[in-house]
Amino acid sequence: MLAFVLILFTLIAAPANSPRQEDSIRRARMAELYNAGDQEGVLQVCRDLVQYHRQQGNERELFNAYATLLDRLQVMGRFDEAMAVLQEMSSDATESPLGTAITEFCLGQFYLGNRQPAEARPHYRRAFRMLQELGEDSRALRAGFNLQAVAMNLNALQEGLAINDSSQTLLEQIEVKTGRKQLANRFKQSRYRFVIMQRLGRMKEAASLKDTLLHYHALLGDSSQDELVLTAVAQYEQAVGNKKAAYAYLDTLIARNQRLGNYLKVAQFRQSLADFQRDNGDLELAVENYRLYAAESDSAQVHRTNDQLNALTKQFQLRELQRENRAARQRNAALSLVIGLLLVLLTVTFLNARALRKKNSILYLASLEHIQAEEEAEQHLVEEVASRELSADEKLYAQLLSLMQEEELFKDPDITRDTLASRLGTNRTYLADAVKACCGQTIGDFVNHHRLRWAAEALSRNTELSVSAVGEDAGFNSRSTFNRLFQQQYGMSPGAFRTAARS
């Protein structure tokens, strides 16, 4: 009995958690549920936190809890529920200047998350002004940064520059109050100003800002910002005519995303690189990168569809485990929804595959026409050796073509320039010069070109030989070399070429 009394006294005497402590505990629980993938659990804790602070009468914590709930709903794509919470939040903020300011900020976030920058702009403007008046400098600065992004999106560059000036003043005030440098915010401030100056054509000011941006980026050490920084600097170098530097930054971004397996980003930066090269007149490089972009874009779509399908399948399995004890009607409804989404993804996969087959079919037919035109031109040259005057280079080149046609010497994987020169009664230098003058190729490229052409014709005849056997018969010692060179010459793999021939 005495022990029971002591325990009861301890419980009564123990102080309750303060609102701030309670907020921290619930937010820690929210993080645990988020890491476990329990979306409904996260939202329930968010709603409970809103209710707790409303009961406690904690104005600041209440609207911070609302902001957290809205952020989670938007991340989950549940925009209808987010709009309902915004209406509830607006009602609670009727007599609260701070609540009104935070609500305006959240409305800006909502519209920006829905890709409606024009609708977001007036809310961010009001939030930026009101939060500064209330001394909420950190949140005001966030509103200022978002307002700059909106202004650039709407091409309102002078407005963006004016907000940037105001944000700079606000940032300095925050640093004076806190007594320490706001490194992350200085990085954002310099990045926005750098981009705005570029787009305004004020390149001298942008030049000095570039070093500032790179300096803060290095100090911050946040690799997640690499893409934003390198993209902005690449655009600057392109604008001022430093094309090699611009190409190098984009090559770095391409290599980075290849390592990360981010195929959509690889295709995106490959296209940007090709656009830069086209604008600079580097047409040969541009053509190659546009070709790679097309191939990588197709690959990215396939990977993206597979990733979505895998993620959806896992999500389905998790939901089924969580809903085992729910009514049969609810389970069937969820199952129907998932099956519908799977059908959509399968349809997308099918359409992407069909588009790829159509593209390969077009490339296949164009390749056959090109091969036929090449062979006719070569035959015409060989036949005209005796009927008209040709230069020494043309005669020697025609003799080489005749030798290739009659004996298919390219099938010998060990064929050398010296062997070809000996068969034609000339020396290797004369032969190399003749080939270069007549077709713009080295002898090695000339031989590989004929090997690939023969392989393409063999594949198009739909023979029973395997792709590897065709490559060996064409004179290639290495299957990987055959595949790589064939892809370069005809825009698709040998296997895809054969598939196009059979369709």
Side-chain angles (χ1 to χ4, degrees):
M1 184 67 179
L2 180 60
F4 174 80
V5 171
L6 288 172
I7 292 172
L8 183 61
F9 177 81
T10 302
L11 290 172
I12 294 172
N17 289 330
S18 70
R20 186 177 295 277
Q21 289 173 325
E22 187 66 26
D23 188 279
S24 298
I25 291 169
R26 295 185 187 225
R27 287 181 182 275
R29 176 59 180 158
M30 198 185 304
E32 291 175 3
L33 293 169
Y34 177 82
N35 292 331
D38 186 355
Q39 292 187 355
E40 295 302 328
V42 170
L43 293 178
Q44 189 57 55
V45 173
C46 286
R47 293 188 177 101
D48 290 345
L49 192 59
V50 169
Q51 187 62 28
Y52 170 78
H53 286 306
R54 182 187 287 119
Q55 292 171 349
Q56 294 292 318
N58 300 316
E59 181 185 53
R60 183 185 303 280
E61 285 80 6
L62 171 62
F63 289 100
N64 283 338
Y66 266 129
T68 301
L69 175 56
L70 283 164
D71 178 68
R72 292 299 89 204
L73 286 169
Q74 283 194 264
V75 168
M76 295 174 191
R78 297 164 70 160
F79 297 109
D80 290 342
E81 293 176 59
M83 180 56 76
V85 171
L86 277 168
Q87 292 171 349
E88 183 183 344
M89 187 177 182
S90 298
S91 177
D92 279 349
T94 303
E95 298 180 4
S96 168
L98 177 61
T100 301
I102 295 176
T103 301
E104 289 291 343
F105 178 86
C106 289
L107 281 164
Q109 296 286 81
F110 177 80
Y111 284 116
L112 191 61
N114 278 282
R115 300 182 181 180
Q116 296 174 277
E119 288 76 8
R121 178 158 61 175
H123 295 291
Y124 277 134
R125 282 175 174 169
R126 287 191 286 270
F128 187 55
R129 174 180 54 79
M130 295 173 68
L131 289 166
Q132 288 184 81
E133 291 172 356
L134 292 166
E136 294 289 322
D137 293 343
S138 295
R139 198 185 293 270
L141 189 61
R142 284 181 60 197
F145 287 147
N146 289 348
L147 190 53
Q148 290 175 63
V150 167
M152 287 190 288
N153 186 280
L154 298 174
N155 206 31
L157 300 178
Q158 291 297 339
E159 177 184 347
L161 184 57
I163 297 297
N164 187 272
D165 289 337
S166 298
S167 296
Q168 178 63 35
T169 301
L170 184 58
L171 177 56
E172 290 169 357
Q173 291 174 358
I174 293 172
E175 290 182 334
V176 169
K177 288 180 182 178
T178 61
R180 57 189 177 84
K181 287 283 187 182
Q182 298 281 316
L183 186 58
N185 287 328
R186 281 190 172 272
F187 166 74
K188 289 181 183 178
Q189 175 72 8
S190 61
R191 180 168 63 82
Y192 281 122
R193 195 172 190 86
F194 176 59
V195 175
I196 290 171
M197 289 302 180
Q198 278 189 68
R199 292 177 60 180
L200 285 171
R202 294 163 63 170
M203 291 305 173
K204 287 185 179 179
E205 290 160 272
S208 61
L209 286 166
K210 183 188 81 166
D211 293 336
T212 302
L213 173 62
L214 293 174
H215 172 70
Y216 283 126
H217 180 50
L219 289 178
L220 193 61
D222 185 357
S223 61
S224 67
Q225 300 296 320
D226 288 352
E227 245 173 50
L228 289 171
V229 173
L230 295 181
T231 300
V233 176
Q235 290 169 345
Y236 164 80
E237 298 294 357
Q238 171 74 0
V240 299
N242 296 335
K243 66 179 185 179
K244 289 185 178 179
Y247 298 173
Y249 282 119
L250 288 176
D251 281 333
T252 299
L253 288 169
I254 290 168
R256 179 178 185 269
N257 282 287
Q258 284 174 333
R259 288 194 304 271
L260 296 174
N262 195 333
Y263 304 102
L264 282 172
K265 286 291 184 70
V266 171
Q268 171 193 328
F269 290 118
R270 183 76 68 186
Q271 183 182 28
S272 298
L273 178 58
D275 289 344
F276 280 7
Q277 291 165 340
R278 178 201 61 200
D279 294 342
N280 291 330
D282 295 331
L283 299 184
E284 185 177 354
L285 293 174
V287 166
E288 175 62 10
N289 276 300
Y290 277 129
R291 186 188 65 77
L292 290 172
Y293 159 70
E296 288 162 349
S297 181
D298 289 338
S299 175
Q301 290 299 330
V302 172
H303 280 284
R304 183 181 184 184
T305 301
N306 288 338
D307 288 344
Q308 288 174 327
L309 185 58
N310 290 336
L312 188 61
T313 301
K314 291 177 182 177
Q315 183 181 8
F316 168 67
Q317 293 170 343
L318 178 60
R319 285 180 178 177
E320 283 301 295
L321 290 173
Q322 292 172 339
R323 295 174 182 178
E324 277 184 0
N325 296 323
R326 294 188 181 183
R329 184 180 60 81
Q330 291 176 315
R331 291 202 307 271
N332 291 337
L335 181 61
S336 297
L337 174 62
V338 172
I339 290 174
L341 291 172
L342 286 172
L343 287 174
V344 170
L345 287 171
L346 290 172
T347 301
V348 171
T349 302
F350 169 76
L351 292 176
N352 283 337
R354 188 170 68 176
L356 182 59
R357 287 197 302 271
K358 183 177 179 181
K359 187 187 77 171
N360 286 346
S361 179
I362 293 170
L363 283 173
Y364 167 75
L365 294 174
S367 297
L368 289 185
E369 290 178 5
H370 184 69
I371 289 171
Q372 183 179 357
E374 271 191 353
E375 290 179 340
E376 289 175 356
E378 290 176 0
Q379 184 62 33
H380 185 67
L381 180 62
V382 170
E383 291 173 353
E384 287 193 346
V385 169
S387 61
R388 67 184 181 93
E389 291 187 3
L390 300 176
S391 68
D393 283 343
E394 288 175 325
K395 287 179 181 179
L396 186 55
Y397 182 65
Q399 291 171 4
L400 176 61
L401 290 174
S402 179
L403 192 63
M404 286 292 178
Q405 292 171 2
E406 294 171 2
E407 301 187 26
E408 296 184 335
L409 295 179
F410 54 82
K411 289 186 175 182
D412 179 1
D414 299 319
I415 193 72
T416 65
R417 183 166 61 173
D418 290 329
T419 302
L420 289 174
S422 176
R423 291 294 305 274
L424 293 169
T426 184
N427 65 52
R428 54 189 288 176
T429 303
Y430 287 155
L431 181 59
D433 290 344
V435 171
K436 189 71 174 179
C438 293
C439 67
Q441 296 175 318
T442 65
I443 291 177
D445 290 340
F446 172 86
V447 171
N448 281 336
H449 185 80
H450 278 72
R451 287 171 175 163
L452 293 168
R453 195 168 73 187
W454 182 91
E457 291 178 314
L459 292 168
S460 69
R461 288 194 294 269
N462 217 4
T463 64
E464 295 305 317
L465 285 175
S466 67
V467 170
S468 297
V470 170
E472 290 177 7
D473 289 351
F476 287 99
N477 281 326
S478 166
R479 179 176 178 177
S480 62
T481 300
F482 171 53
N483 289 339
R484 177 174 56 80
L485 294 179
F486 196 96
Q487 177 82 36
Q488 289 177 359
Q489 185 153 314
Y490 295 112
M492 69 181 92
S493 68
F497 195 90
R498 167 165 281 173
T499 300
R502 288 173 174 170
S503 61

